[in-house]
């Protein structure tokens, strides 16, 4: 199948209801931001051998590729709008693989109200890579940034931490446990939470590289320090502490808010049916300290994931 029939058959249906895609029949898409909004734009690429093995269900690979981008939109407080898909596929990619891949995109699009707006399709001598650019919108000036944390703010995380890293470990050991493995394979972008936090959080980001490393990014951007209490970190089981502190791929949100927002945040937690847990506070200085339940400092050697 040539590139043009491939686009017509598999990708046009995913773009059909997004007018700006021009039905993938022109050179580029045309997008106007919703009234009084700014566009929030993010890109995340995943490649075979690094982010996925290749033997997974193609629907799951597609879902993960789109979901990690949605998680970045969530972290900015954005409402999903559309996405662009660059696909680099080996020449021998089967029709079945593509059909399942497109199925995974379709399901994810529907779940998170986002539409395909364009992309590029090329063959590669190497392994599969998938690059997605996602676009969302946020009322002008209301995007959640990493840089707004203030001394005295509470530090919150959504959901539970360390599940995905544990899931990956189990996958690698070929052990079974659907709950943890799914937490790794299928991140849950916290879109509704991000949107609800627009007027409430002083800073936010998504945790993709481990709690300690990612909180470090908020501290650097906000020019503050932090203390977190390890016994307050929400985990699925109690053995998970180090994984929760440094394990990647959680895609939960970490955010800060002044103490007077506590009640509003409890209400958001109830209405979204999602735990939002205070794990520590923003401090002055630049250091990030992790304390155990006896207030002794825990040294973290393994800070989180880094590619290089
Ligand atoms: P060009 O010759 O400029 O590379 P293409 O043939 O790649 O143009 O693209 C034609 C149209 O198809 C464009 O609207 C482009 O956005 C869309 N398109 C190509 N590949 C994809 C894809 N993988 N997903 C979504 N849209 C795509
Ligand atoms: Mg092109």
């Amino acid at each position: 199948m040539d590139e043009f029939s491939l686009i017509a058959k598999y990708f046009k249906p995913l773009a059909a209801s997004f007018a700006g895609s021009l039905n993938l029949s022109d050179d580029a898409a045309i997008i106007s931001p919703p009234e009084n909004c700014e566009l929030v734009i993010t890109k995340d690429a995943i490649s075979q051998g690094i982010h996925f093995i290749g033997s997974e269900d193609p629907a799951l690979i597609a879902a993960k590729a789109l979901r990690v981008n949605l998680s970045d939109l969530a972290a900015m407080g954005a409402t999903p709008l559309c996405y662009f898909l660059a696909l680099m596929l080996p020449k021998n990619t089967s029709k079945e693989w593509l059909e399942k891949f497109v199925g995974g995109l379709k399901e994810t699009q529907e779940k998170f109200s986002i539409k395909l707006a364009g992309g590029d399709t090329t063959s590669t001598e190497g392994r599969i890579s998938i690059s997605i650019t996602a676009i969302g919108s946020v009322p002008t000036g209301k995007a959640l940034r990493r840089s707004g944390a203030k001394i005295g703010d509470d530090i919150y995380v959504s959901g539970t931490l360390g599940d995905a890293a544990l899931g990956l470990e189990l996958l690698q050991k070929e052990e079974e446990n659907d709950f943890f493995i799914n937490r790794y394979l299928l991140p849950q972008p916290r879109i509704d939470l991000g949107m609800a936090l627009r007027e409430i959080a002083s800073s936010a980001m998504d945790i993709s590289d481990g709690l300690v490393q990612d909180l470090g990014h908020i501290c650097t951007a906000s020019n503050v320090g932090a203390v977190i209490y390890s016994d307050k970190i929400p985990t699925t089981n109690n053995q998970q502490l180090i994984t929760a502190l440094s394990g990647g791929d959680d895609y939960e949100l970490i955010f800060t808010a002044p103490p007077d927002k506590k009640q509003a945040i409890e209400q958001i937690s109830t209405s979204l049916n999602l735990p939002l847990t205070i794990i520590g506070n923003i401090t002055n200085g630049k250091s990030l300290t992790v304390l155990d339940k006896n207030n002794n400092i825990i040294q973290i050697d393994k800070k989180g994931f880094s590619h290089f």
Side-chain angles (χ1 to χ4, degrees):
M1 193 184 286
D2 67 41
E3 183 193 331
F4 306 104
S5 16
L6 196 143
I7 294 167
K9 178 160 190 229
Y10 294 111
F11 298 119
K12 280 189 184 176
L14 296 178
S17 56
F18 187 70
S21 75
L22 309 177
N23 196 29
L24 305 186
S25 302
D26 215 314
D27 294 303
I30 302 176
I31 301 165
S32 358
E35 214 180 341
N36 301 321
C37 285
E38 301 176 292
L39 295 179
V40 174
I41 304 170
T42 182
K43 175 186 276 296
D44 246 307
I46 61 173
S47 56
Q48 188 179 5
I50 307 282
H51 301 90
F52 60 95
I53 305 160
S55 57
E56 298 91 342
D57 179 353
L60 273 177
I61 299 173
K64 183 158 186 177
L66 188 47
R67 281 167 180 251
V68 295
N69 278 280
L70 284 159
S71 179
D72 280 324
L73 293 184
M76 299 295 285
T79 307
L81 189 62
C82 64
Y83 69 100
F84 292 78
L85 168 69
L87 256 187
M88 281 131 280
L89 297 175
K91 288 207 167 76
N92 62 1
T93 304
S94 71
K95 214 177 91 197
E96 289 71 34
W97 193 94
L98 258 169
E99 267 161 19
K100 288 187 180 147
F101 184 82
V102 165
L105 289 177
K106 181 165 186 278
E107 194 186 329
T108 313
Q109 283 191 197
E110 283 161 7
K111 187 164 166 62
F112 295 98
S113 304
I114 190 165
K115 303 277 164 50
L116 186 61
D120 202 15
T121 310
T122 69
S123 62
T124 169
E125 300 279 311
R127 304 203 263 182
I128 304 171
S129 32
I130 303 154
S131 170
I132 290 182
T133 302
I135 302 183
S137 69
V138 70
T140 302
K142 299 295 182 198
L144 299 173
R145 306 282 307 273
R146 294 181 180 185
S147 53
K150 299 277 181 306
I151 296 164
D153 280 357
D154 292 320
I155 302 170
Y156 290 81
V157 294
S158 63
T160 50
L161 300 185
D163 297 337
L166 208 63
L168 175 59
E169 218 177 286
L170 295 172
L171 262 184
Q172 287 164 341
K173 289 195 285 197
E174 295 183 24
E175 281 175 36
E176 279 174 35
N177 182 314
D178 287 348
F179 172 80
F180 291 112
I181 290 173
N182 268 329
R183 289 280 283 158
Y184 169 70
L185 293 176
L186 203 65
Q188 301 297 327
R190 301 302 186 187
I191 293 287
D192 294 339
L193 174 60
M195 287 165 59
L197 290 174
R198 275 173 194 163
E199 305 281 347
I200 289 170
S202 52
S203 72
M205 70 179 289
D206 65 333
I207 307 177
S208 54
D209 296 328
L211 170 66
V212 172
Q213 181 165 302
D214 287 336
L215 177 57
H217 294 312
I218 286 188
C219 290
T220 305
S222 301
N223 205 14
V224 293
V227 55
I228 52 180
Y229 303 97
S230 66
D231 57 321
K232 298 200 172 149
I233 295 171
T235 56
T236 298
N237 70 37
N238 293 327
Q239 273 102 59
Q240 246 172 266
L241 181 63
I242 292 303
T243 327
L245 287 165
S246 61
D249 292 305
D250 283 318
Y251 297 101
E252 294 294 346
L253 294 190
I254 179 164
F255 60 95
T256 59
D260 66 1
K261 295 284 195 275
K262 197 170 163 190
Q263 239 190 333
I265 292 168
E266 278 168 12
Q267 274 167 19
I268 293 171
S269 170
T270 307
S271 73
L272 298 179
N273 191 21
L274 176 66
L276 301 174
T277 311
I278 298 179
I279 60 163
N281 296 95
I282 296 297
T283 58
N284 70 17
K286 290 195 190 311
S287 64
L288 201 172
T289 310
V290 185
L291 297 179
D292 69 13
K293 61 176 185 297
N294 303 315
N295 281 338
N296 295 317
I297 293 179
I298 301 181
Q299 297 295 342
I300 313 287
D301 310 325
K302 207 178 135 215
K303 271 203 162 166
F305 185 79
S306 166
H307 276 271
F308 299 102

